[in-house]
C-alpha cells in the first residue's frame, strides 16, 4: 500500500487531462436523464402503490363496518326469543292487563340496548311499547306481524318509513299452550351507522339482496340501486366536465364519479341475507401523496447534482491528502479488525454455552408445565372418585350392593377418563385435527354435568339449563369438549363459593355458530386480560394452578372456535364457547 501511495502522488500534481470536462458534461447529462426516468417511473409506480393502499384501507374499513352491522343484527336477533318466553309478558297477554308492561319493556330496553320494543296482541294492536305514543296503533297488516304469525321462528323484516329511510325489526310470535297470544317486535337501530360512517369516506351505502340501497350516508340514495343513486346528483358544471376529460395523466380510469370527482369503489359482503357494503373514496389523497414523494425525489436529484459539482471541484485538492493517509488508516483498520475477530470468537463461544443452558432450562420448564397440567386435569376425576367411593362404602354397609356396583361402574369410567387425559396431554405439542368427528354438544354437556354431579350436590348449587331439542353438531373430540365444559363448571362452582343462593346457568344455542354459555352469580372477574394466561389464578395455594382456562382456550382454538369471558351486567361472570357448526349432511360426511 505504501508503494501505491508513492506512485499515485505524482499523478495528483499532473495538470487535468483535456477529456475531463467532456466526461463531467456527460455525467451531468446522464444524471439528468436518469432523474427524468426515475420521476416518470416513480410517478406510475407510486400512483399504483398509493391507489392500492387507499383501496386496501377502504376494504379494511368495510370489513370493520360489516362486522359492526352483523354484530348489531346478531345481538338483537336473540332478543325476541327471550322476550317471547318472558312469563310477565305472557301473563299480560293472557290476562289482558298491560298496566306495568310498558315499564317492563323500558327497563329491558336499557339492558338490551335495542332501538325500541313493542308488544302486539293477537289482532296486531300495540298494547305495550317503550315509545308510549305507539300504544293503541294497529300493525295487523305490517310485514313483521304477518310473517311472525306465520312462523314460529324469529323473523326479520325491512319496511320503508313514510318520513324517509327504512325500519329494521326482528319479531317473534308469543304462544302459550299452543295458543297464539301476540307478537314481540324489536326494532334495530342501523341508522346510527350512517352517522358514524360519514366522516371516514366520501360515501357509503348498504344494499340488500335485490341491489336496493337500504342504508346510505347520502339520504337521496335510499331506495335506489347503485346506478340510479350515482345518477341522483346535481348536474356537473363546465369546469367539472373539463376535469373529467383532462384527468390526471397517470391516473387509472376511475371506478365511478361522485359529485364531479373520480372515486374508488370498494365492496364487502355482510353475511346476512345477501347484504353488501359499498364505499366510494376520492383520488385526491393519492395525488397529494404522489406529488409529495415526487417533490422529494426531484429535490434529492437536485441536491445530488449540486453535490456532484462540489465533489468534482474538490477532487484535485483532496486527492493527495487521501493517498497519504491511506496507509496509516489501513494499518489501523487491520489492527482493529484483528481485535474484533478475537472478540467475536469469544462471543461465539459464550453464545454456545448460553444456548446449551437455555435448552436445558426450556426442557425443565416444559417438564414443569406438563406436571402441573397432569395434576390439574386429574384432580377433578380423583375428587369425583373419592365421593363415589364414600357413597359405595355406605351402600355396602347398608347392604345395598346393586347401587354400590353402580358407583363402582362410575369409578371405572372415571379411571378410563383419567387414562384418556394422560394420553391427550402427551399429544398437546402436536395440534392435529385428524381425529375429529361429529359431536353433539348436548351429549358433552350431559357428560360434564354427570362428572360434576357430586360436587354440585355437595354445594347445593342450582343448575339452570337451556338446551335445544334438536342436535347441536360440531366437529370435535367429545372427551376434550367435556374437559372444557368441566373446567368452566368448576370455575363457576369456585366463583359461587360464599354466595347464599348459588346458581349456574347453562345456555346452548345454534345459529351461524354453536354457542355454549356458562354463567354464575359470583363476584365476577377482576383481570380479564390475564384470565387465559397459563398459571394465572386467584385461588389460594393448593386449590389450583391456573391451567384450566389456558388449556380450555387451547382446546377450543384447536377446534376452530374461540373461548371468551366477560362480566355479566347483573353480577357474576359469563364464559362463552363458540364453535363452527355442522349444519348439513355434507359437512358431517366431510368431517368423517
Amino acid at each position: 500500500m505504501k508503494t501505491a501511495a508513492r506512485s499515485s502522488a505524482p499523478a495528483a500534481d499532473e495538470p487535468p487531462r483535456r477529456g475531463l470536462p467532456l466526461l463531467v458534461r456527460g455525467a451531468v447529462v446522464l444524471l439528468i436523464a436518469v432523474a427524468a426516468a426515475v420521476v416518470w417511473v416513480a410517478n406510475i409506480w407510486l400512483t399504483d402503490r398509493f391507489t392500492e393502499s387507499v383501496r386496501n384501507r377502504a376494504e379494511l374499513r368495510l370489513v370493520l363496518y360489516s362486522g359492526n352491522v352483523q354484530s348489531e343484527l346478531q345481538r338483537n336477533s336473540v332478543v325476541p326469543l327471550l322476550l317471547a318466553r318472558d312469563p310477565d309478558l305472557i301473563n299480560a297477554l293472557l290476562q289482558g292487563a298491560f298496566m306495568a308492561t310498558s315499564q317492563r319493556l323500558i327497563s329491558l330496553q336499557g339492558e338490551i340496548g335495542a332501538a325500541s320494543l313493542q308488544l302486539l296482541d293477537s289482532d296486531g294492536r300495540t298494547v305495550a311499547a317503550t315509545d308510549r305514543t305507539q300504544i293503541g296503533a294497529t300493525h295487523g297488516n305490517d310485514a313483521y306481524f304477518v310473517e311472525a304469525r306465520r312462523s314460529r321462528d324469529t323473523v326479520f323484516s325491512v319496511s320503508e318509513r313514510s318520513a324517509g329511510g327504512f325500519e329494521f325489526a326482528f319479531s317473534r310470535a308469543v304462544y302459550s299452550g299452543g295458543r297464539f297470544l301476540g307478537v314481540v317486535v324489536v326494532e334495530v337501530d342501523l341508522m346510527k351507522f350512517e352517522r358514524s360512517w360519514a366522516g371516514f369516506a366520501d360515501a357509503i351505502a348498504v344494499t340488500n339482496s335485490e341491489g336496493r340501497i337500504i342504508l346510505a350516508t347520502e339520504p337521496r340514495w335510499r331506495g335506489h340501486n347503485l346506478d340510479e343513486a350515482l345518477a341522483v346528483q346535481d348536474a356537473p358544471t363546465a369546469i367539472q366536465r373539463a376535469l373529467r376529460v383532462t384527468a390526471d395523466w397517470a391516473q387509472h380510469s376511475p371506478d365511478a364519479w361522485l359529485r364531479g370527482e373520480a372515486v374508488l369503489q370498494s365492496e364487502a359482503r355482510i353475511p346476512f341475507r345477501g347484504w353488501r357494503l359499498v364505499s366510494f373514496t376520492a383520488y385526491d389523497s393519492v395525488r397529494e401523496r404522489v406529488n409529495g414523494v415526487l417533490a422529494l425525489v426531484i429535490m434529492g436529484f437536485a441536491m445530488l447534482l449540486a453535490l456532484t459539482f462540489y465533489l468534482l471541484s474538490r477532487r484535485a485538492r483532496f486527492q493527495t491528502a487521501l493517498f497519504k493517509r491511506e496507509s496509516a488508516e489501513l494499518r489501523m483498520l487491520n489492527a482493529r479488525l484483528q481485535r474484533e475477530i478475537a472478540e467475536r470468537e469469544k462471543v461465539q463461544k459464550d453464545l454456545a454455552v448460553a444456548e446449551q443452558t437455555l435448552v436445558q432450562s426450556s426442557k425443565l420448564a416444559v417438564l414443569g408445565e406438563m406436571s402441573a397440567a397432569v395434576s390439574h386435569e386429574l384432580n377433578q376425576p380423583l375428587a369425583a372418585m373419592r365421593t363415589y367411593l364414600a357413597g359405595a362404602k355406605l351402600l355396602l354397609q347398608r347392604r345395598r350392593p346393586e347401587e354400590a356396583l353402580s358407583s363402582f361402574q362410575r369409578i371405572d369410567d372415571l379411571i378410563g377418563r383419567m387414562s384418556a387425559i394422560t394420553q391427550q396431554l402427551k399429544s398437546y405439542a402436536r395440534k392435529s385435527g385428524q381425529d375429529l368427528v361429529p359431536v353433539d354438544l348436548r351429549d358433552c354437556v350431559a357428560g360434564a354435568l354427570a362428572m360434576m354431579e357430586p360436587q354440585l350436590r355437595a354445594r347445593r348449587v342450582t343448575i339452570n339449563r337451556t338446551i335445544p331439542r334438536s342436535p347441536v353438531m360440531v366437529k370435535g373430540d367429545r372427551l376434550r369438549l367435556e374437559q372444557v365444559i368441566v373446567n368452566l363448571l368448576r370455575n363457576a362452582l369456585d366463583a359461587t363459593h360464599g354466595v347464599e343462593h348459588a346458581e349456574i346457568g347453562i345456555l346452548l344455542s345454534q345459529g351461524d355458530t354453536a354457542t355454549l354459555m356458562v354463567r354464575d352469580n359470583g363476584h365476577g372477574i377482576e383481570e380479564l386480560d390475564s384470565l387465559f394466561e397459563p398459571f394465572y389464578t386467584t385461588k389460594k395455594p393448593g386449590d389450583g394452578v391456573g391451567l384450566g382456562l389456558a388449556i380450555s382456550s387451547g382446546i377450543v382454538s384447536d377446534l376452530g372456535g374461540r373461548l371468551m369471558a366477560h362480566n355479566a351486567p347483573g353480577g357474576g361472570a359469563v364464559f362463552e364457547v363458540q364453535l363452527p357448526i355442522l349444519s348439513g349432511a355434507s359437512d358431517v360426511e366431510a368431517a368423517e
Side-chain angles (χ1 to χ4, degrees):
M1 295 306 298
K2 292 181 179 180
T3 304
R6 286 195 293 269
S7 61
S8 300
D13 298 331
E14 294 178 359
R17 295 186 297 270
R18 294 180 179 179
L20 186 59
L22 182 61
L23 181 62
V24 172
R25 288 195 295 269
V28 172
V29 172
L30 179 62
L31 182 61
I32 294 175
V34 171
V38 169
V39 170
W40 176 271
V41 174
N43 181 72
I44 297 175
W45 182 76
L46 290 173
T47 300
D48 293 338
R49 180 82 175 271
F50 290 149
T51 300
E52 187 66 22
S53 176
V54 171
R55 191 184 298 275
N56 290 338
R57 287 200 300 271
E59 291 176 354
L60 288 176
R61 285 197 299 267
L62 288 183
V63 171
L64 177 61
Y65 298 159
S66 173
N68 292 338
V69 174
Q70 183 185 7
S71 176
E72 184 71 16
L73 291 170
Q74 289 179 347
R75 184 172 61 85
N76 286 272
S77 63
V78 299
V79 176
L81 174 62
L82 300 177
L83 295 182
R85 299 176 178 178
D86 189 280
D88 294 338
L89 300 183
I90 295 175
N91 292 333
L93 290 172
L94 288 173
Q95 300 173 6
F98 307 103
M99 295 295 294
T101 307
S102 295
Q103 185 60 40
R104 168 72 172 164
L105 293 179
I106 292 173
S107 62
L108 291 175
Q109 181 189 18
E111 299 177 0
I112 297 171
S116 67
L117 303 175
Q118 291 189 58
L119 180 63
L120 312 180
D121 61 9
S122 59
D123 297 327
R125 184 173 60 90
T126 302
V127 294
T130 54
D131 183 4
R132 296 181 185 273
T133 60
Q134 297 293 328
I135 297 177
T138 302
H139 303 278
N141 296 326
D142 291 341
Y144 49 75
F145 179 81
V146 176
E147 294 179 4
R149 187 166 186 176
R150 293 174 180 173
S151 174
R152 284 186 172 269
D153 296 327
T154 301
V155 298
F156 179 78
S157 59
V158 180
S159 57
E160 192 168 1
R161 296 174 177 172
S162 59
F166 291 85
E167 181 180 7
F168 310 91
F170 286 99
S171 58
R172 188 181 183 94
V174 180
Y175 288 91
S176 178
R179 174 189 171 191
F180 173 72
L181 301 179
V183 173
V184 174
V185 182
V186 179
E187 182 180 352
V188 185
D189 183 15
L190 298 182
M191 302 292 287
K192 63 183 180 182
F193 294 113
E194 294 181 344
R195 299 186 291 271
S196 62
W197 294 340
F200 295 96
D202 293 285
I204 297 180
V206 177
T207 62
N208 58 14
S209 59
E210 299 175 355
R212 191 182 184 191
I213 297 177
I214 54 179
L215 289 174
T217 54
E218 294 284 340
R220 296 179 296 178
W221 289 7
R222 300 190 191 108
H224 302 280
N225 57 39
L226 281 179
D227 295 335
E228 294 173 349
L230 293 175
V232 178
Q233 55 184 318
D234 298 333
T237 62
I239 296 178
Q240 292 173 338
R241 289 194 296 269
L243 289 175
R244 291 189 181 186
V245 176
T246 59
D248 186 4
W249 53 273
Q251 180 174 292
H252 298 295
S253 300
D255 297 336
W257 292 90
L258 180 63
R259 295 188 291 271
E261 297 182 0
V263 293
L264 287 167
Q265 180 176 337
S266 303
E267 295 187 8
R269 185 178 68 87
I270 301 177
F272 182 81
R273 294 178 175 266
W275 287 11
R276 300 192 66 83
L277 193 60
V278 185
S279 72
F280 300 93
T281 307
Y283 279 97
D284 293 344
S285 59
V286 175
R287 190 70 261 156
E288 291 175 358
R289 295 172 65 185
V290 171
N291 291 340
V293 175
L294 291 181
L296 293 177
V297 172
I298 294 173
M299 183 182 299
F301 274 108
M303 295 176 64
L304 182 61
L305 185 62
L307 181 62
T308 301
F309 283 116
Y310 175 76
L311 293 177
L312 289 175
S313 65
R314 303 280 294 180
R315 178 176 177 273
R317 182 180 301 176
F318 290 104
Q319 189 174 20
T320 302
L322 289 175
F323 285 149
K324 290 180 179 180
R325 292 195 300 266
E326 186 177 19
S327 297
E329 291 177 354
L330 287 175
R331 286 193 298 269
M332 295 174 60
L333 179 60
N334 188 33
R336 187 165 62 251
L337 288 176
Q338 292 294 335
R339 290 194 299 270
E340 291 181 357
I341 290 173
E343 292 176 357
R344 286 181 180 271
E345 291 177 352
K346 183 178 181 300
V347 169
Q348 288 178 354
K349 293 180 180 179
D350 295 341
L351 181 60
V353 175
E355 287 178 351
Q356 294 178 358
T357 304
L358 181 59
V359 169
Q360 186 65 22
S361 300
S362 300
K363 292 179 179 179
L364 293 176
V366 170
L367 290 175
E369 291 182 6
M370 290 296 296
S371 174
V374 170
S375 174
H376 178 272
E377 294 303 322
L378 297 183
N379 183 48
Q380 296 172 358
L382 287 174
M385 290 171 60
R386 185 180 296 110
T387 303
Y388 286 132
L389 284 173
K393 181 178 180 181
L394 291 176
L395 292 173
L396 290 175
Q397 291 176 352
R398 296 176 182 179
R399 299 182 179 180
R400 295 160 63 182
E402 295 181 356
E403 298 181 13
L405 287 176
S406 176
S407 297
F408 289 135
Q409 180 62 41
R410 292 188 178 183
I411 294 173
D412 184 65
D413 294 339
L414 289 175
I415 292 174
R417 181 179 184 86
M418 292 167 62
S419 176
I421 288 175
T422 57
Q423 293 296 326
Q424 177 184 342
L425 289 174
K426 293 179 182 178
S427 63
Y428 272 165
R430 47 180 179 88
K431 298 182 178 180
S432 174
Q434 298 178 354
D435 299 333
L436 303 183
V437 296
V439 178
D440 190 351
L441 276 181
R442 301 181 305 168
D443 297 336
C444 298
V445 173
L449 287 174
M451 183 175 178
M452 291 294 297
E453 179 182 358
Q455 293 92 326
L456 296 174
R457 185 185 301 113
R459 286 281 307 279
R460 297 182 179 179
V461 178
T462 302
I463 302 296
N464 299 320
R465 285 181 289 181
T466 303
I467 308 296
R469 296 182 178 179
S470 58
V472 182
M473 304 300 298
V474 298
K475 183 180 179 183
D477 181 349
R478 176 169 177 175
L479 176 62
R480 301 176 74 187
L481 288 173
E482 288 184 2
Q483 180 180 351
V484 172
I485 300 173
V486 167
N487 283 336
L488 296 182
L489 291 174
R490 182 65 180 270
N491 283 343
L493 189 64
D494 293 340
T496 57
H497 185 74
V499 178
E500 183 176 357
H501 300 288
E503 294 183 2
I504 297 177
I506 302 174
L507 172 61
L508 178 61
S509 62
Q510 61 177 333
D512 294 340
T513 60
T515 303
L516 173 66
M517 289 193 296
V518 179
R519 176 176 179 175
D520 60 71
N521 62 341
H523 303 293
I525 305 171
E526 296 181 357
E527 299 183 9
L528 289 171
D529 296 337
S530 306
L531 189 60
F532 298 105
E533 294 181 0
F535 302 106
Y536 170 80
T537 180
T538 58
K539 301 176 182 177
K540 298 180 180 179
D543 293 340
V545 295
L547 281 173
L549 292 179
I551 293 174
S552 300
S553 179
I555 292 174
V556 176
S557 298
D558 290 344
L559 300 180
R562 57 178 181 171
L563 174 61
M564 300 174 293
H566 61 273
N567 289 319
V574 178
F575 288 86
E576 182 175 344
V577 178
Q578 292 184 354
L579 292 170
I581 195 165
L582 295 180
S583 57
S586 60
D587 293 337
V588 175
E589 293 176 0
E592 295 174 354

